[in-house]
């Protein structure tokens, strides 16, 4: 019998040819000897333990994508003024892609600014009305008569009270024009009360420059004198005066310093009345406070109006940025669908697709789906060997970039997306379908046998000249069982750590994927 030297066989193709040759020899031998059945020997398959490499992988497929990509779309309507790039150009992050005319948005912003101004003006108007709900005295004086009460509704212009103050009285009298001096203002005057013949002191407050003609053709000028009321003077009392020894040419009637009517400045219901008849008011004292539910509602609406107008303006201003479209990534322009002079309209262009497409080709990625039973063995940074029919006879290196924690379940089986990053991608292009193999375990230059030679977990039958008294009928004669310690098993070959030596011949239950030689017993 001629043996096949297993050590000299290289590659899976050689192994298959050896198996085929062995089968042909076996069939031919059986045919030639079928006329003498008693002489037919049973042939078994065996091979040698040899030094080799064992590796385990997790495999998967995916479609290549660029590191990043951006579909350029417009959120606003307008005419393109600039589009300074072409397909195939490289663009930098932040570089101008499209400049759209801002004429329409600028008009909208101006309109919104005017709306804000009008809303604030309306608010100021109603606030001013609210401030007038509290009315204050503009003069010192006594409340001579009060015409309103709390709870009463008043309208603007209604008489509230008569205000009177005679603590100071004023007397207007005429003096001969040629005797009047401008420097009289501030000088003392003696005022004579005609009714009682008494004199009181006063002070000149004003000298008129206008001349008046009395009966008899006498020219005079009016002089005003203030007098502190000693307590007995009333408006209308008659008196004359003497200043610097010059007597007035006429008498005059006293008038009170304050004698006026208080008028309501706003409309509303008197919520609180702070004065009563006979009360003396200082200038600036509160007279009453009005309440107006309608006015409060107007203020609330005015505040809302301002807020709405400002939000509208802010929205318009924010849209201004959308008329300048810049690239959010650095990359290569793959598609350009819009050019200078074209009109963009988000609603009309939605079905037409993007204005342009940019790929970041700094690296490529693809996704493999890893079974839930294997995902715990996969780590970020692990090496991945990549092949594709599109670039035959070439392998590429990748690494696991990220592992998703969100699994996808289909027919009761869960898999997890794993993203592979390919930096040195050569002739690979986005869209190509690729195969990926993740190296899980590796043992090089170790003793190996076919995986099918293992029986009962760790038992291997090796050829021996020893006589086996209790031979397992399922095992060919001339083979004995030995226990081995195994290492990595890739499903085809298995690493033998102990129990065998290189060159040992091991029995293999028939397996057409394994090359070896046939023995007889």
């Amino acid at each position: 019998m001629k043996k096949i030297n297993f050590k000299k066989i290289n590659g899976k193709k050689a192994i298959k040819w050896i198996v085929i040759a062995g089968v042909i020899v076996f069939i031919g031998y059986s045919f030639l000897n079928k006329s003498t059945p008693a002489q037919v020997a049973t042939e078994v398959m065996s091979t040698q333990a040899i030094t080799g490499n064992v590796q385990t992988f997790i495999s998967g497929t995916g479609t290549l994508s660029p590191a990043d990509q951006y579909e350029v779309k417009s959120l606003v309507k307008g005419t393109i003024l600039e589009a300074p790039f072409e397909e195939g150009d490289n663009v930098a992050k932040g570089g101008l892609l499209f400049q759209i005319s801002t004429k329409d948005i600028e008009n909208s912003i101006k309109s919104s600014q005017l709306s804000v101004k009008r809303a604030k003006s309306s608010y100021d108007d109603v606030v001013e009305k609210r401030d007038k709900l509290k009315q204050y005295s503009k003069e010192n004086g006594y409340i001579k008569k009060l015409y309103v009460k709390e709870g009463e509704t008043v309208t603007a212009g209604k008489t509230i009270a008569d205000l009177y103050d005679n603590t100071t009285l004023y007397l207007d009298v005429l003096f001969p024009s040629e005797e009047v001096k401008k420097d009289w203002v501030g000088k003392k005057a003696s005022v004579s009360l005609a009714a009682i013949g008494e004199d009181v002191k006063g002070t000149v407050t004003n000298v008129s420059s206008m001349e008046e003609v009395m009966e008899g053709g006498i020219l005079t000028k009016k002089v005003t004198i203030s007098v502190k009321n000693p307590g007995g003077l009333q408006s209308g009392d008659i008196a004359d005066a003497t200043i610097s020894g010059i007597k007035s040419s006429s008498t005059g009637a006293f008038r009170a310093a304050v004698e006026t009517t208080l008028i309501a400045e706003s409309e509303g219901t008197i919520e609180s009345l702070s004065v009563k008849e006979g009360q003396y008011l200082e200038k600036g004292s509160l007279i009453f406070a009005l309440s107006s539910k309608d006015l409060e509602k107007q203020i609330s609406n005015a505040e809302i109006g301002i807020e709405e107008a400002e939000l509208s303006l802010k929205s318009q201003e924010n849209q201004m940025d959308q008329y300048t479209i810049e690239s959010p990534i650095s990359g290569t322009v793959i598609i350009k669908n819009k050019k200078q002079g074209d009109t963009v309209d988000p609603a009309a262009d939605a079905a037409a697709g993007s204005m342009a497409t940019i790929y970041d080709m700094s690296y490529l990625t693809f996704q493999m789906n890893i079974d839930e039973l294997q995902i715990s063995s996969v780590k970020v940074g692990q090496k991945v060997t990549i092949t594709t029919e599109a670039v035959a006879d070439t392998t590429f290196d990748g690494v696991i970039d990220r592992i998703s924690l969100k699994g996808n379940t289909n027919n009761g089986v869960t898999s997890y997306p794993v993203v592979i990053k390919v930096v040195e991608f050569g002739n690979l292009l986005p869209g190509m379908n690729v195969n990926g193999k993740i190296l899980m375990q590796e043992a090089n230059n170790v003793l190996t046998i076919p995986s099918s030679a293992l029986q009962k977990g760790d038992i291997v039958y090796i050829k021996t000249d020893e006589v086996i008294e209790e031979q397992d009928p399922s095992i060919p004669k001339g083979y004995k069982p030995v226990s081995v310690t195994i290492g990595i098993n890739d499903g085809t070959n298995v690493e033998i750590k102990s129990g065998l030596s290189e060159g040992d011949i091991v029995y293999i239950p028939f397996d057409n994927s394994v090359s070896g030689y046939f023995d007889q017993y």
Side-chain angles (χ1 to χ4, degrees):
M1 180 187 64
K2 184 178 180 180
K3 294 183 180 180
I4 300 172
N5 191 340
F6 193 82
K7 293 181 180 179
K8 294 182 178 180
I9 296 174
N10 293 318
K12 291 185 178 180
K13 291 184 179 180
I15 294 174
K16 288 182 179 179
W17 281 111
I18 292 171
V19 171
I20 292 170
V23 172
I24 291 172
V25 171
F26 175 73
I27 294 172
Y29 180 84
S30 298
F31 177 78
L32 292 173
N33 291 279
K34 65 180 180 178
S35 61
T36 55
Q39 298 178 359
V40 173
T42 301
E43 295 183 336
V44 297
M45 191 172 185
S46 61
T47 191
Q48 289 182 328
I50 64 171
T51 298
N53 303 326
V54 183
Q55 297 174 323
T56 61
F57 297 92
I58 296 176
S59 300
T61 61
T63 302
L64 290 171
S65 298
D68 196 2
Q69 67 182 74
Y70 180 60
E71 301 289 333
V72 183
K73 296 182 179 180
S74 176
L75 299 176
V76 295
K77 182 178 179 180
T79 301
I80 297 175
L81 302 180
E82 295 180 66
F85 66 95
E86 299 299 333
E87 289 185 1
D89 287 353
N90 291 323
V91 294
K93 181 178 180 180
L96 177 66
L97 297 179
F98 296 96
Q99 178 61 59
I100 302 171
S101 173
T102 59
K103 181 178 179 181
D104 291 340
I105 190 64
E106 287 174 353
N107 291 335
S108 296
I109 288 175
K110 288 179 181 178
S111 178
S112 295
Q113 289 172 338
L114 292 174
S115 295
V116 170
K117 188 175 181 179
R118 282 192 297 268
K120 289 183 176 180
S121 178
S122 297
Y123 175 78
D124 291 341
D125 288 344
V126 292
V127 167
E128 184 179 355
K129 290 180 181 179
R130 183 188 63 183
D131 292 342
K132 289 181 179 179
L133 291 177
K134 290 184 177 181
Q135 189 160 327
Y136 299 89
S137 175
K138 297 178 181 179
E139 303 282 353
N140 296 327
Y142 291 94
I143 300 295
K144 190 173 183 179
K145 185 170 180 60
L146 191 60
Y147 297 99
V148 295
K149 59 184 177 181
E150 284 187 3
E152 183 177 342
T153 299
V154 297
T155 58
K158 179 179 174 62
T159 300
I160 301 300
D162 293 332
L163 189 65
Y164 178 79
D165 184 6
N166 67 350
T167 54
T168 298
L169 296 170
Y170 290 93
L171 178 68
D172 295 323
V173 290
L174 299 175
F175 280 83
S177 179
E178 71 276 6
E179 302 290 345
V180 175
K181 308 296 184 186
K182 289 183 179 181
D183 62 359
W184 278 7
V185 175
K187 286 185 174 294
K188 298 298 182 180
S190 176
V191 178
S192 299
L193 301 174
I196 58 176
E198 292 184 3
D199 293 342
V200 293
K201 299 298 183 182
T203 302
V204 177
T205 59
N206 186 62
V207 175
S208 176
S209 58
M210 184 181 69
E211 292 184 323
E212 299 181 27
V213 180
M214 291 182 63
E215 293 182 6
I218 301 173
L219 295 177
T220 60
K221 290 182 179 181
K222 183 171 69 177
V223 177
T224 302
I225 302 169
S226 67
V227 176
K228 293 293 184 183
N229 194 342
L233 297 179
Q234 298 290 332
S235 293
D237 287 348
I238 303 300
D240 59 17
T242 301
I243 303 171
S244 299
I246 300 172
K247 188 175 179 58
S248 63
S249 301
S250 69
T251 60
F254 283 109
R255 55 183 171 84
V258 176
E259 192 167 7
T260 188
T261 300
L262 299 180
I263 303 298
E265 297 174 352
S266 301
E267 179 180 348
T269 300
I270 297 177
E271 188 174 53
S272 62
L273 187 62
S274 302
V275 297
K276 58 184 178 180
E277 289 185 357
Q279 180 180 340
Y280 184 80
L281 291 183
E282 297 284 349
K283 183 178 179 179
S285 298
L286 178 65
I287 301 171
F288 59 76
L290 301 177
S291 65
S292 176
K293 293 182 180 179
D294 182 64
L295 193 56
E296 292 301 324
K297 185 177 180 181
Q298 290 180 40
I299 291 174
S300 178
N301 290 338
E303 290 173 341
I304 293 172
I306 291 176
E307 185 175 357
E308 289 178 340
E310 289 178 338
L311 287 174
S312 177
L313 175 59
K314 186 66 175 177
S315 175
Q316 299 288 346
E317 291 173 340
N318 289 342
Q319 285 187 35
M320 181 64 80
D321 293 339
Q322 297 172 0
Y323 285 77
T324 301
I325 302 177
E326 298 176 344
S327 179
I329 62 173
S330 295
T332 303
V333 179
I334 304 302
I335 298 172
K336 180 181 180 181
N337 293 324
K338 292 288 186 179
K339 63 183 183 303
Q340 182 179 352
D342 288 348
T343 298
V344 290
D345 185 341
D349 296 344
S354 63
M355 299 168 67
T357 301
I358 299 171
Y359 279 2
D360 176 0
M361 295 290 290
S362 56
Y363 59 88
L364 298 179
T365 67
F366 70 95
Q367 178 178 297
M368 290 173 54
N369 294 314
I370 307 299
D371 187 271
E372 60 186 323
L373 300 178
Q374 299 173 312
I375 193 64
S376 61
S377 301
V378 175
K379 308 296 180 186
V380 171
Q382 277 183 281
K383 180 181 176 181
V384 182
T385 301
I386 301 161
T387 59
T388 177
E389 293 182 358
V391 186
D393 300 324
T394 305
T395 60
F396 303 89
D397 293 330
V399 293
I400 296 176
D401 188 51
R402 57 186 183 276
I403 302 171
S404 175
L405 297 178
K406 185 179 185 302
N408 301 311
T409 302
N410 187 22
N411 295 326
V413 177
T414 300
S415 60
Y416 292 84
V418 173
V419 176
I420 313 301
K421 182 177 181 180
V422 189
V423 176
E424 300 293 336
F425 52 83
N427 293 326
L428 296 177
L429 295 173
M432 287 184 175
N433 296 312
V434 295
N435 303 306
K437 293 174 64 176
I438 304 172
L439 178 63
M440 303 307 297
Q441 293 177 301
E442 183 176 29
N444 297 321
N445 298 316
V446 296
L447 188 64
T448 66
I449 62 171
S451 300
S452 56
L454 287 174
Q455 299 188 49
K456 299 178 183 179
D458 61 351
I459 300 299
V460 176
Y461 288 87
I462 65 172
K463 193 168 186 178
T464 181
D465 294 331
E466 299 176 13
V467 177
I468 309 301
E469 295 182 357
E470 296 183 1
Q471 180 72 44
D472 184 335
S474 65
I475 304 301
K477 293 180 180 179
Y479 289 86
K480 69 175 181 178
V482 295
S483 178
V484 297
T485 301
I486 63 175
I488 299 172
N489 188 342
D490 65 8
T492 299
N493 296 307
V494 60
E495 174 192 3
I496 302 299
K497 292 186 173 182
S498 64
L500 292 180
S501 299
E502 186 172 7
D504 284 346
I505 298 174
V506 298
Y507 164 65
I508 305 173
F510 184 76
D511 184 346
N512 62 8
S513 67
V514 179
S515 63
Y517 65 90
F518 292 102
D519 200 358
Q520 296 181 350
Y521 70 97

